[in-house]
Amino acid sequence: MADRAQKILKTVFGYDTFRPLQAEVINSILEKKDTLVILPTGGGKSLCYQIPAMLFSSLTVVISPLIALMKDQVEQMQRVGVPAAMLNSALETGTYRHNIAQIKSGAARLLYVAPETLMMPRTMSLLAGTGVDCLAIDEAHCISEWGHDFRPEYRQLVQIRKQFPKAVCAAVTATATPRVRQDIQTTLGFKHTDTFIGSFNRENLYLQIVPKDNSLSRVLRLIQRFRDQAGIIYCATRRQVDELALILQDEGVSALPYHAGLSDTMRRTNQERFIRDDTCIIVATIAFGMGIDKPDVRFVIHYDMPKNIESYYQEIGRAGRDGLPADCLLLFSYGDVYKIKHFIQQKAPTERRAANTHLNAFLRFVEWPGCRRIPLLQYFGEAPANVKCGQCDNCQKGQKEQIDVTIFAQKFLSCVYRTGELFGAAHIINVLRGSKAQRVIQLKHQRLSTYGIGRDLSKKQWQSLSRQFLHQGLLIEDTDYGGFRLGPNARDVLKNKKKIWGWLDDDPADENDKAAPPDLKKRDIPGYDRDLFQLLKEKRKEIADQEKVPPYVVFADKTLMEMAAYFPQTEAGMLQIHGVGETKLSVYGSEFLNVIQLFCRKQGIPEKPKPVTKPIRKPPARVKKKRHEVIGETFSAGRTVAEIMEMFAVKRQTALDHLYRYWCEGNPLETDNFGIHLNLSSQQTDSVFTYFEKLGIRRLKPVFDALAGEIDYPDLFVLRLMFIAQNALMVDERVRR
Ligand code: ADP
Ligand code: ZN
């Protein structure tokens, strides 16, 4: 079977190799094991069920929530010569009937259907007649109430499973927390199950954050870099969208606005023009993007700060689905942060906390001085192995050396302490720098011993340091008022027992010219002839308009680039090109061959052989990690216990047990930021730690007894982990266990 799948990949789709996990997923589905697939946008999820559909004898039913995407997929299937049909409420009666006939006759291999249409008795009886081999559920997270776009209709899919017990189920999605994952499997009654989780690292996206000044010229420069190619610019407000779109139009850029304030028709037209390559750029609010499958978006700009890391990831994810290089530029200003903070203050206290947590996670990403992929992927619970991606501004400018900033940390922390652990960065910095600000004088903070001891650094430098101290757990920020308290690590720093390393930066988002993205030519596009590429694009557009489909449905950019690099002038040569399968060759081959032949004859260019890429033997599917390992790594990657409880849907004690087990197996806890506040005095904590030192940590009972039961076991569990994390050298203890 595996060989046949490989063959279909080449002859039908025209691709040489599978993307990560595709082959494994296809095998699993072919073995009729219910399969859950979590791959990022552009990971190639559709192929995972499309290829099995061609190998099964009965129908594959694809359940898809968005009619627009359904249409796109059916068109793409038809273009590669795979008969596919769709059923949904938006079809005209004639088409509907025609599609039903196709399914009845067994001509269609795939049926795309909206969940509510599927549930209709007549659809069910239709399918009972044809038989179903595979149920593929697209956007499977919609099934879970815990997910972000729950659709009640998806719940009814359970009944379908009962009706077709022999059909294997493939659930695919790009977003699923562990809880949602579990929900998908239980709701769908998965039995012999395989789960495949791909990395969320999108290697082809260049990540860059620059200060928000000269915004327009930065934007224009990026547009110039991808001249005549598609891009999305996200703004925070409708007004900003309208303004920027006008400015760009004045600059001669083909740009259109998109936001909820425009009429339906206007929105639809603008989106359609973008998809059909009639306009290059869409300036939009976050209302834009759902249901857009355009694979050749070359850049995404955040003109304003995104809502949180998840939205950022989702929005930049719309760039470069075709795997070719794409740029993601974020214009950042602390002014925006203050606006958001102000906005958060207006919220109800419960919402405030969540909003602040999101904001801080985002700031951690912005202020991170190393490879940007580290905080980004950590947020999604991945511990990136490669700490230098080379595809972000920080990697590009070369990471700055860390220096010993213990003295600064001591100054800052003692100032926080002396002012009563109440104030935020601005006030602390004022005191440190000896400011005569009214508030300082009012509070008599000029009399403190820490007043004026920090004049040697600029305000900006202190600001950057304070953020670093926060991210290192030396400080805890009050989520409601923004005041700092001392964090779990602060004690040792003040006692001179622990050194702190950090970056002395002027501005965390300072742009450095070297941080510009690398030359596009060096980024995995084969050197191709731009003139021929242009001619091929024109041909593609002409055909697409005739057929009323988006140009990418005819051929992807990469296909045209390869044509313009290898100049195929025969059908055999054409079949070597990425994305040219047998059907597309017979339908479009001659028209594109004509363009190439004419061009090459004029220029005297011969056909160049395309280097053969052998299908790479994929490494075996990832060995599934044990739960405590995943939890341990997630914690080490900077998530707090509370976040872990949420992510893995476990109780606090369970989370702590997992962490302890993780450590016992020889893994380090890389941080001591538990995010747990215990109602204990520092004397109590100290005495527990002293007993741990004396009596060991293997058993808690002796410590409990020594303290005459003054401290409960739940607290002791937490303290033991804090103790471990703060004393990384307790290997012996572990061995003795
Ligand atoms: P997803 O649904 O995961 O966002 P798609 O299934 O839409 O991703 O695939 C994204 C793009 O990648 C599509 O244009 C698809 O044709 C292409 N693609 C999928 N698999 C491969 C492959 N093995 N080699 C090359 N291109 C692929
Ligand atoms: Zn990097």
Side-chain angles (χ1 to χ4, degrees):
M1 279 298 214
D3 289 347
R4 285 171 69 193
Q6 178 76 47
K7 188 147 183 273
I8 291 179
L9 182 73
K10 182 68 195 157
T11 54
V12 176
F13 293 92
Y15 302 146
D16 292 323
T17 49
F18 281 113
R19 294 231 177 110
L21 296 181
Q22 279 179 334
E24 290 87 340
V25 172
I26 291 172
N27 276 336
S28 167
I29 297 177
L30 288 175
E31 284 170 15
K32 291 246 168 167
K33 283 195 212 153
D34 290 337
T35 306
L36 173 62
V37 185
I38 301 165
L39 281 175
T41 307
K45 289 185 284 296
S46 330
L47 215 72
C48 294
Y49 52 80
Q50 286 163 346
I51 290 189
M54 282 173 248
L55 292 166
F56 283 136
S57 50
S58 298
L59 193 65
T60 290
V61 177
V62 185
I63 293 107
S64 169
L66 289 165
I67 292 176
L69 290 189
M70 210 184 275
K71 189 165 152 259
D72 221 56
Q73 289 226 356
V74 170
E75 259 156 13
Q76 301 206 32
M77 282 287 92
Q78 288 167 346
R79 290 291 176 299
V80 295
V82 181
M86 65 175 164
L87 291 179
N88 60 51
S89 52
L91 293 178
E92 286 166 18
T93 332
T95 323
Y96 203 98
R97 268 201 221 116
H98 171 82
N99 291 359
I100 297 239
Q102 256 201 315
I103 298 158
K104 254 194 192 141
S105 71
R109 305 254 29 94
L110 287 125
L111 166 66
Y112 285 81
V113 62
E116 57 278 5
T117 314
L118 177 62
M119 300 316 299
M120 286 160 43
R122 63 170 170 171
T123 320
M124 295 291 257
S125 65
L126 172 73
L127 295 181
T130 61
V132 177
D133 259 328
C134 174
L135 277 171
I137 303 181
D138 204 4
E139 314 285 350
H141 60 276
C142 293
I143 213 166
S144 169
E145 281 168 308
W146 297 104
H148 53 85
D149 32 35
F150 171 55
R151 297 187 177 233
E153 318 86 87
Y154 262 64
R155 286 274 173 189
Q156 300 172 2
L157 295 176
V158 192
Q159 295 162 30
I160 303 289
R161 289 225 67 186
K162 292 203 186 108
Q163 292 273 332
F164 301 98
K166 285 212 188 103
V168 63
C169 187
V172 311
T173 171
T175 51
T177 59
R179 172 169 232 162
V180 172
R181 262 176 234 164
Q182 192 55 52
D183 228 16
I184 296 175
Q185 294 181 330
T186 0
T187 316
L188 290 172
F190 273 25
K191 285 195 194 82
H192 314 283
T193 309
D194 266 343
T195 301
F196 296 92
I197 303 172
S199 167
F200 278 69
N201 187 12
R202 302 274 315 274
E203 285 169 7
N204 59 324
L205 302 185
Y206 185 84
L207 309 180
Q208 187 179 18
I209 303 179
V210 302
K212 196 177 188 178
D213 46 36
N214 297 321
S215 304
L216 184 63
S217 69
R218 286 183 205 276
V219 168
L220 287 172
R221 232 182 299 153
L222 190 62
I223 293 176
Q224 188 59 26
R225 179 174 150 81
F226 290 103
R227 211 175 39 202
D228 297 330
Q229 301 194 65
I232 307 173
I233 305 178
Y234 281 110
C235 299
T237 62
R238 297 174 188 181
R239 214 183 78 197
Q240 180 70 268
V241 166
D242 289 333
E243 275 176 22
L244 186 61
L246 277 182
I247 296 174
L248 291 177
Q249 287 163 2
D250 279 349
E251 295 281 339
V253 175
S254 90
L256 290 172
Y258 187 103
H259 57 67
L262 300 174
S263 71
D264 277 359
T265 331
M266 179 79 119
R267 278 211 309 270
R268 215 176 312 124
T269 320
N270 290 0
Q271 172 169 327
E272 195 69 18
R273 289 178 63 84
F274 179 66
I275 290 172
R276 299 261 165 105
D277 287 351
D278 291 324
T279 188
C280 289
I281 290 162
I282 274 284
V283 187
T285 58
I286 52 168
F288 182 78
M290 250 308 243
I292 302 275
D293 238 355
K294 192 169 168 56
D296 48 6
V297 174
R298 293 274 66 87
F299 61 89
V300 167
I301 298 176
H302 281 94
Y303 206 75
D304 297 303
M305 204 166 120
K307 233 171 57 196
N308 51 44
I309 291 206
E310 259 134 290
S311 336
Y312 172 77
Y313 182 81
Q314 202 168 35
E315 284 147 20
I316 62 169
R318 299 192 174 122
R321 280 176 184 234
D322 53 9
L324 292 174
D327 280 10
C328 306
L329 176 71
L330 166 68
L331 301 170
F332 176 80
S333 89
Y334 280 100
D336 280 358
V337 177
Y338 290 124
K339 266 187 237 157
I340 291 176
K341 281 198 169 157
H342 181 74
F343 186 66
I344 292 176
Q345 284 306 317
Q346 324 289 316
K347 294 188 178 209
T350 43
E351 281 175 57
R352 229 183 276 161
R353 184 144 310 158
N356 269 311
T357 311
H358 280 138
L359 178 62
N360 284 335
F362 195 78
L363 287 175
R364 181 167 181 268
F365 167 66
V366 172
E367 290 162 346
W368 187 267
C371 177
R372 300 236 180 251
R373 284 185 158 73
I374 296 173
L376 190 62
L377 293 177
Q378 280 179 348
Y379 186 83
F380 294 100
E382 263 180 60
N386 190 354
V387 287
K388 268 199 105 181
C389 72
Q391 289 299 319
C392 75
D393 49 0
N394 284 345
C395 282
Q396 199 65 14
K397 61 182 159 194
Q399 288 177 31
K400 270 195 154 175
E401 285 290 310
Q402 289 203 24
I403 57 163
D404 182 348
V405 293
T406 314
I407 297 266
F408 302 124
Q410 286 168 339
K411 287 182 179 179
F412 199 94
L413 296 177
S414 56
C415 194
V416 169
Y417 183 70
R418 302 237 175 266
T419 50
E421 304 190 61
L422 289 169
F423 299 93
H427 184 74
I428 302 292
I429 294 171
N430 274 343
V431 176
L432 283 170
R433 302 194 66 249
S435 147
K436 298 214 167 54
Q438 206 182 3
R439 195 144 175 245
V440 175
I441 307 296
Q442 255 173 9
L443 293 161
K444 303 199 172 48
H445 283 168
Q446 81 278 22
R447 298 191 191 158
L448 296 176
S449 57
T450 50
Y451 184 75
I453 59 170
R455 289 201 178 90
D456 44 345
L457 297 188
S458 72
K459 212 173 189 165
K460 266 190 170 174
Q461 285 173 316
W462 275 121
Q463 243 151 12
S464 150
L465 280 175
S466 73
R467 307 297 315 172
Q468 296 177 41
F469 299 154
L470 187 70
H471 300 319
Q472 294 191 29
L474 301 182
L475 294 169
I476 295 169
E477 195 173 29
D478 182 285
T479 48
D480 288 343
Y481 302 102
F484 286 139
R485 286 188 281 124
L486 296 189
N489 295 348
R491 213 170 48 115
D492 283 352
V493 177
L494 287 169
K495 285 188 180 163
N496 237 343
K497 280 204 216 150
K498 186 171 180 173
K499 271 198 187 320
I500 296 297
W501 296 85
W503 290 268
L504 207 53
D505 210 334
D506 274 339
D507 186 337
D510 233 1
E511 197 191 20
N512 173 330
D513 273 347
K514 279 188 283 173
D519 189 350
L520 280 175
K521 285 198 199 101
K522 293 196 190 116
R523 289 163 63 191
D524 93 2
I525 306 179
Y528 59 93
D529 189 300
R530 310 255 153 182
D531 296 331
L532 177 55
F533 180 63
Q534 200 52 42
L535 293 174
L536 293 169
K537 262 175 92 171
E538 281 161 24
K539 176 50 84 187
R540 174 177 71 176
K541 178 77 176 128
E542 183 192 310
I543 297 174
D545 284 349
Q546 271 166 16
E547 300 191 355
K548 296 200 175 58
V549 293
Y552 62 78
V553 169
V554 177
F555 276 135
D557 277 3
K558 187 161 179 201
T559 304
L560 303 191
M561 283 174 188
E562 286 204 1
M563 289 181 190
Y566 303 117
F567 311 101
Q569 289 162 53
T570 57
E571 293 207 336
M574 208 56 156
L575 270 178
Q576 295 303 308
I577 299 296
H578 170 97
V580 184
E582 280 161 3
T583 305
K584 281 202 175 172
L585 177 73
S586 68
V587 181
Y588 303 123
S590 63
E591 288 192 74
F592 286 86
L593 273 173
N594 281 344
V595 177
I596 302 171
Q597 282 161 349
L598 192 68
F599 180 87
C600 291
R601 209 175 304 132
K602 271 194 210 149
Q603 314 255 334
I605 301 173
E607 178 166 331
K608 279 192 205 161
K610 181 180 163 185
V612 205
T613 38
K614 286 224 183 72
I616 313 162
R617 276 270 144 248
K618 295 282 174 218
R622 272 209 267 176
V623 187
K624 268 186 215 136
K625 284 195 186 140
K626 300 225 179 70
R627 197 148 165 93
H628 66 276
E629 291 170 340
V630 180
I631 289 183
E633 282 169 16
T634 309
F635 175 76
S636 284
R639 293 306 190 93
T640 63
V641 171
E643 285 167 331
I644 287 174
M645 287 160 58
E646 164 88 34
M647 286 168 72
F648 296 90
V650 293
K651 297 210 177 74
R652 182 169 105 173
Q653 191 55 43
T654 316
L656 297 174
D657 288 345
H658 280 307
L659 288 178
Y660 185 60
R661 177 153 174 228
Y662 177 74
W663 176 78
C664 285
E665 288 180 2
N667 307 298
L669 300 177
E670 302 276 8
T671 154
D672 57 1
N673 179 20
F674 289 86
I676 294 179
H677 179 70
L678 299 177
N679 253 334
L680 300 175
S681 68
S682 54
Q683 282 92 334
Q684 284 175 311
T685 314
D686 277 348
S687 64
V688 173
F689 281 12
T690 316
Y691 279 120
F692 278 149
E693 262 160 38
K694 242 198 261 171
L695 303 170
I697 57 166
R698 197 164 58 96
R699 293 176 53 233
L700 291 177
K701 182 139 194 316
V703 179
F704 181 81
D705 291 343
L707 290 155
E710 190 193 330
I711 315 251
D712 287 346
Y713 278 107
D715 283 358
L716 286 178
F717 272 111
V718 179
L719 288 168
R720 172 164 69 181
L721 281 170
M722 289 180 172
F723 183 76
I724 290 171
Q726 288 173 18
N727 298 266
L729 291 170
M730 299 189 48
V731 188
D732 298 350
E733 190 71 39
R734 196 151 56 197
V735 175
R736 267 194 270 145
R737 183 177 181 263

